[in-house]
Amino acid sequence: MHTGGFAKWTRRFEDERERRRALGDPDWGQSATLHPAVWASIQRFQVGEDGDGANLVRKADQADDADYGQAVRLFIAEEQNHARLLARLLAAGGMPTLTGHWSEAVFVRLRRLMGLRMELLVLMIAEVVALRYYRALRDGTDDSLTAGVAGRILSDEQRHVPFHCERLHVSLAELPRAMRRPVMALWRLLLLAVSLVVAADHGPALRQLDIGRLRFVVDVMTSSRAVVSAVLVPRPDAWTSAG
């Protein structure tokens, strides 16, 4: 199947890669001071950002669109850079990285169950949750190094979501029209369940970042309406985050 139209995303990812190179890394010589609950939360998100993305690359290549396959590789490189930034941030605070976490294991298993469509639907749940989390981390702490790292990651995630929306729009267009909205309704239900789990698991950190569990879940679900619209109609670039 030819997906088409993803050359522009390859260019955007390449342009961003060059911008990152010109900007350079944050000043890792700064120390980072955060509440222990926030450090524990960052450790868990760092695990989620890590990974080689081989399964997603394989499925993307099967879509028979070289531009999309290259864009996916560049997307994965950005995710790996997020894991690197968070690992360096943890090191700046004298905190170790984790070797794994149960939530990441669950997401990986879900993403591998079926084809590219299922992979992206599950991945999009993580991306939408991450948008709200990194915004909270950017705005909810007075630690400049942490805020700077979170801001960089948030900026990337705000591009990732419309990228995946565009591919999901192509994928859902292969389904009968009557099935498309129910699929996205089920996606929102799964997003709600995951948001509740994240809010419970990261609750102490969220409180330190001046956002309670309920507000976190409400904000995630509110932002998901625009995501659903971007997937169902061919205007994914119209989606913007309240970042």
Side-chain angles (χ1 to χ4, degrees):
M1 179 191 66
H2 180 75
T3 57
F6 286 94
K8 66 179 181 296
W9 282 108
T10 299
R11 291 192 296 271
R12 289 176 188 176
F13 280 117
E14 289 173 343
D15 288 346
E16 182 60 24
R17 181 180 60 191
E18 293 307 310
R19 191 195 69 81
R20 283 197 306 272
R21 286 176 178 170
L23 178 64
D25 264 10
D27 179 8
W28 299 120
Q30 302 178 69
S31 61
T33 304
L34 297 169
H35 189 276
V38 179
W39 282 127
S41 177
I42 292 173
Q43 286 175 316
R44 279 169 270 172
F45 265 82
Q46 194 276 335
V47 172
E49 297 282 5
D50 208 0
D52 62 11
N55 195 57
L56 178 57
V57 167
R58 178 180 59 81
K59 293 175 182 178
D61 286 343
Q62 291 171 354
D64 194 26
D65 185 317
D67 290 325
Y68 179 64
Q70 179 61 15
V72 165
R73 286 169 170 81
L74 292 166
F75 155 73
I76 291 169
E78 286 194 357
E79 292 289 296
Q80 292 170 337
N81 185 55
H82 296 172
R84 182 187 69 86
L85 289 172
L86 292 175
R88 293 293 302 270
L89 175 62
L90 288 165
M95 303 297 294
T97 58
L98 302 180
T99 58
H101 189 257
W102 66 267
S103 59
E104 173 61 12
V106 170
F107 264 97
V108 169
R109 290 182 182 180
L110 282 174
R111 285 165 54 183
R112 292 178 177 175
L113 282 176
M114 298 178 68
L116 180 61
R117 182 186 300 134
M118 183 64 176
E119 176 101 6
L120 292 179
L121 285 169
V122 175
L123 178 59
M124 278 285 283
I125 288 174
E127 296 283 88
V128 173
V129 169
L131 278 174
R132 187 62 186 96
Y133 176 80
Y134 288 118
R135 180 153 63 96
L137 191 60
R138 182 195 66 184
D139 299 342
T141 175
D142 56 5
D143 184 87
S144 60
L145 182 59
T146 300
V149 169
R152 291 182 184 218
I153 296 175
L154 178 62
S155 178
D156 287 344
E157 298 292 3
Q158 289 169 334
R159 285 182 294 101
H160 293 175
V161 170
F163 168 59
H164 296 312
C165 283
E166 184 160 337
R167 184 57 185 84
L168 280 169
H169 172 75
V170 173
S171 183
L172 263 66
E174 300 166 4
L175 299 176
R177 185 177 296 273
M179 289 183 60
R180 298 171 195 171
R181 288 190 180 278
V183 166
M184 294 309 296
L186 288 173
W187 176 81
R188 287 195 80 213
L189 284 176
L190 183 55
L191 174 64
L192 174 60
V194 170
S195 300
L196 289 168
V197 171
V198 171
D201 195 30
H202 295 260
L206 295 175
R207 283 195 297 273
Q208 292 297 320
L209 298 172
D210 293 326
I211 173 173
R213 289 184 173 98
L214 179 59
R215 180 182 163 198
F216 179 83
V217 173
V218 169
D219 286 354
V220 169
M221 295 310 297
T222 299
S223 71
S224 73
R225 296 171 187 161
V227 173
V228 171
S229 295
V231 171
L232 292 176
V233 299
R235 297 175 60 243
D237 287 341
W239 186 88
T240 56
S241 167

